[in-house]
Amino acid sequence: MLYVRISILPDISSVVLRGPPSTATSQPLSGRVLFRLGHSLKVKRITVAFQSVSCPKQQFQTSQGQVRMEQVLFDATGLAGGYAPWKANRYGSGSESYEFPFSFIIPGHMHESVSTPYGSVCYELRVSVHTCGFGINRWTEYQKIPIFRVPKEGSPQALRLIDSLRMQADWLGAVELQVLSDTAAVADNSKLRAHIVVRPLQKGLLLTDVGLRLSESVCHKTLIDRFGDPQRSQKVVSERRKAIGDTAAGLNSLPLCQEYSLDLSLPVPKAFGGIQYTMDTPNISVAHDLVLTATVIDRDQNPRYLRISSNVHVVPKLALEDTFAELPAYRSASFDRLLLGSDAEQLEQSSFFPHSPPPSYQCAVSSHRIVLA
């Protein structure tokens, strides 16, 4: 067994900041550190730090600079000899466990975690144990803690996440392409589902294939290339293509005699691995596009490659859960308690005009005309 086994046990796996940096409130980050010893040690000092991590390829700098917040968990300066003897743990007995709590306050203006080809911003909890004696006198352990930023509940940015996605375009009045999706926002490590419609506006056309892809564009506003423009990078994070036709019958295309529709889903990678969250900061912006492609053969047997695209938002799953939580379902029983618990006679009468009949259609129309006037 190793001399020291350190376990960092935060209460939360990530820090979520709500709102823009100028108005976001600080968030707590607490937990505990557990130590198990394979051999007895003389411990002098134990610290835990929340800090930003410098990447070897990092070229762009954030306005906040390097971040480091340190907390001393144990200090044996005032003890005899300047150290505390720690005995090795005996498995099966919890009486000799060494455990220390920690707590940090993460400011609301912190930069979100991001990893791009030109640099990264990431954070970690790092625990250091200083001992005295022969051999190794410092033991460290770390755990990554990403920082997310989501819109405030009820803000215009949060409501924008529940907008439905609908993009439509036609090619020279011959073919119409349409993409429909429930929302224009998708969480990482999930699936983006879309309904695709290819509608012919002329006769004599053939459909060869239909494709859907999710692309990511990164713009580093503080990094300038040799032409004086900001550094940009673009990549396809997910793609799916479906061939149209009956391959068993040797047909690699489908006559567009009527509307053709299909459902496709794209796997969205996990954040910081294959994709980044959509963001726009003074240093960097990340945007995502959903692209529909289709290959159509015209009357002259020439292939035409059609393409339409629209912006989508890649956000943490928590952002979508908070947004949809504010919208009750149509059949939600929890919002019917007031109605079910009221007296039927009281519901029929108004509290202000108990004997007034309901307004007539003519009254409603006349009042509506007054408002318009």
Side-chain angles (χ1 to χ4, degrees), residues 151 153 158-162 318-327:
E153 298 181 9
L159 297 178
R160 196 177 299 126
L161 298 180
I162 62 175
L318 178 64
L320 298 181
E321 292 176 348
D322 290 346
T323 302
F324 288 112
E326 297 183 357
L327 302 176

Side-chain angles (χ1 to χ4, degrees), residues 42-209:
K42 299 177 181 178
V43 180
K44 298 172 55 178
R45 182 182 174 90
I46 301 176
T47 60
V48 58
F50 177 81
Q51 60 186 19
S52 58
V53 182
S54 299
C55 181
K57 62 181 179 181
Q58 187 171 0
Q59 300 179 13
F60 73 96
Q61 297 291 334
T62 62
S63 56
Q64 67 185 15
Q66 293 295 322
V67 176
R68 180 176 173 84
M69 294 178 282
E70 188 178 67
Q71 181 180 350
V72 178
L73 301 181
F74 176 78
D75 191 356
T77 303
L79 300 180
Y83 65 87
W86 281 17
K87 297 181 180 180
N89 294 109
R90 295 193 302 267
Y91 287 99
S93 174
S95 60
E96 296 183 2
S97 298
Y98 299 94
E99 181 178 327
F100 298 90
F102 66 86
S103 179
F104 293 100
I105 299 297
I106 308 301
H109 61 80
M110 296 282 283
H111 198 286
E112 306 96 305
S113 300
V114 63
S115 177
T116 69
Y118 297 100
S120 64
V121 178
C122 50
Y123 305 91
E124 69 177 14
L125 284 170
R126 180 175 290 269
V127 176
S128 300
V129 180
H130 301 267
T131 62
C132 59
F134 297 99
I136 302 175
N137 291 327
R138 183 178 179 182
W139 312 82
T140 60
E141 183 65 31
Y142 71 93
Q143 180 171 333
K144 292 184 178 180
I145 302 291
I147 293 182
F148 304 148
R149 187 175 299 278
V150 300
K152 285 186 177 180
E153 298 181 9
S155 65
Q157 293 79 8
L159 297 178
R160 196 177 299 126
L161 298 180
I162 62 175
D163 290 341
S164 60
L165 173 64
R166 178 188 178 94
M167 54 179 175
Q168 180 176 339
D170 68 272
W171 171 69
L172 300 178
V175 178
E176 183 181 275
L177 301 179
Q178 190 177 54
V179 179
L180 302 173
S181 183
D182 293 337
T183 64
V186 60
D188 65 308
N189 198 23
S190 66
K191 287 188 177 182
L192 191 156
R193 295 176 173 84
H195 180 70
I196 301 172
V197 178
V198 181
R199 185 176 295 111
L201 305 178
Q202 294 180 4
K203 296 181 179 180
L205 303 177
L206 300 175
L207 180 63
T208 302
D209 58 54

